[in-house]
Amino acid sequence: MTVHIGAKPDQIAETVLMPGDPYRAKWAAETFLQDPVLVNEVRGMLGFTGTWRGNRVTIQGSGMGMPSLSIYANELIRDYGAKTLIRIGSCGAMQERVKIRDIIIAMTASSMSTPSRGIFRELQFAPCADWSLLNAAVQATKARGTPTHVGGIYSADVFYDERPDLNEQMTRHGILGVEMEAAELYILAARYGVRALAVLTVSDHLLTHEALPSEDREKSFGDMVEIALEAAFS
Ligand code: HPA
């Protein structure tokens, strides 16, 4: 047990999928894993461990935003020995060519700040995905024919953004989409020598203001879970 995770030491797998929403962790575990067992419910941040094609996997909610993700990722890596962490979540598109339901695989994650800002001080560290996971996820999306974009994303500190000028600069510089967790996950993976990736479903569009209809969310989310699982075990 750690401060925020109630699982016993051997109840967390080396491969962990991390959706922001704990109920998505429950849905994904019950839909895609064999014999899922609830291993954490501290603060309602549900985590489940089961198997996928014979491989042990944990699906643990991260909560929203980098400070929350940082707590869970730190404890998973440092206390439970997680070696592969894949964020699965939604994002807002920042390019016209990126459409609702498309998948974004985040090669890099820019930010204004992260919980690790205090370490880096004047250094503008460039958080990047693990290449082997990224490559495997791209192959998985190709095999399925899912429309996919690979490139930089933006990990924001706020959902209710007050800097339209900054969003314009990011669109101008090719940033594909915005979410709120990946940059810190990539930084922690670099710090502890483990693998990380973020596979995201486009749920809304900052330029066209479209949004994924709620009845489509489950199917789009399911594609992303399977891509993450295939990437983890390829
Ligand atoms: N901003 C931040 N995070 C998000 C968004 C957004 O527009 N959409 C999905 N996650």
Side-chain angles (χ1 to χ4, degrees):
M1 276 180 49
T2 57
V3 178
H4 303 92
I5 303 176
K8 297 193 189 86
D10 60 352
Q11 280 187 316
I12 301 286
E14 284 196 356
T15 298
V16 185
L17 268 48
M18 302 187 77
D21 179 351
Y23 285 103
R24 282 195 182 163
K26 178 172 159 57
W27 177 81
E30 288 172 352
T31 308
F32 295 101
L33 302 189
Q34 266 87 60
D35 307 318
V37 173
L38 176 70
V39 294
N40 183 48
E41 52 184 335
V42 176
R43 290 178 185 244
M45 197 56 75
L46 305 177
F48 296 82
T49 298
T51 61
W52 182 79
R53 297 186 184 162
N55 303 290
R56 269 185 103 220
V57 187
T58 296
I59 306 184
Q60 169 64 54
S62 70
M64 291 179 282
M66 291 185 267
S68 179
L69 173 128
S70 166
I71 290 171
Y72 295 100
N74 262 291
E75 294 180 14
L76 288 165
I77 297 168
R78 290 163 35 160
D79 300 304
Y80 288 99
K83 299 278 183 252
T84 296
L85 298 95
I86 304 182
R87 162 160 160 71
I88 47 176
S90 58
C91 70
M94 299 182 84
Q95 299 292 328
E96 290 281 358
R97 71 177 189 285
V98 177
K99 309 293 183 201
I100 300 290
R101 295 185 196 80
D102 286 3
I103 294 276
I104 292 179
I105 300 176
M107 192 151 65
T108 62
S110 299
S111 67
M112 268 209 272
S113 75
T114 69
S116 297
R117 180 77 177 239
I119 294 179
F120 292 127
R121 301 186 193 190
E122 67 271 52
L123 178 68
Q124 303 283 330
F125 185 78
C128 75
D130 176 81
W131 165 249
S132 64
L133 279 179
L134 182 126
N135 189 34
V138 172
Q139 300 311 321
T141 58
K142 279 191 182 151
R144 300 173 149 259
T146 319
T148 302
H149 309 266
V150 184
I153 62 157
Y154 172 50
S155 295
D157 284 332
V158 288
F159 186 88
Y160 297 102
D161 187 64
E162 300 281 350
R163 288 289 306 275
D165 60 316
L166 191 62
N167 287 343
E168 267 174 40
Q169 288 304 331
M170 281 188 283
T171 297
R172 183 175 170 221
H173 288 83
I175 293 294
L176 297 170
V178 53
E179 51 86 77
M180 300 182 66
E181 292 82 14
E184 180 68 1
L185 179 64
Y186 288 4
I187 291 168
L188 290 171
R191 187 174 309 152
Y192 294 109
V194 300
R195 306 194 303 165
L197 181 68
V199 180
L200 307 164
T201 299
V202 176
S203 62
D204 50 85
H205 208 296
L206 271 65
L207 305 178
T208 66
H209 306 293
E210 291 165 275
L212 188 62
S214 53
E215 61 271 22
D216 287 9
R217 282 180 186 255
E218 216 161 76
K219 157 88 178 82
S220 298
F221 190 73
D223 282 347
M224 177 174 64
V225 177
E226 289 190 304
I227 290 162
L229 289 166
E230 282 168 22
F233 299 109
S234 71

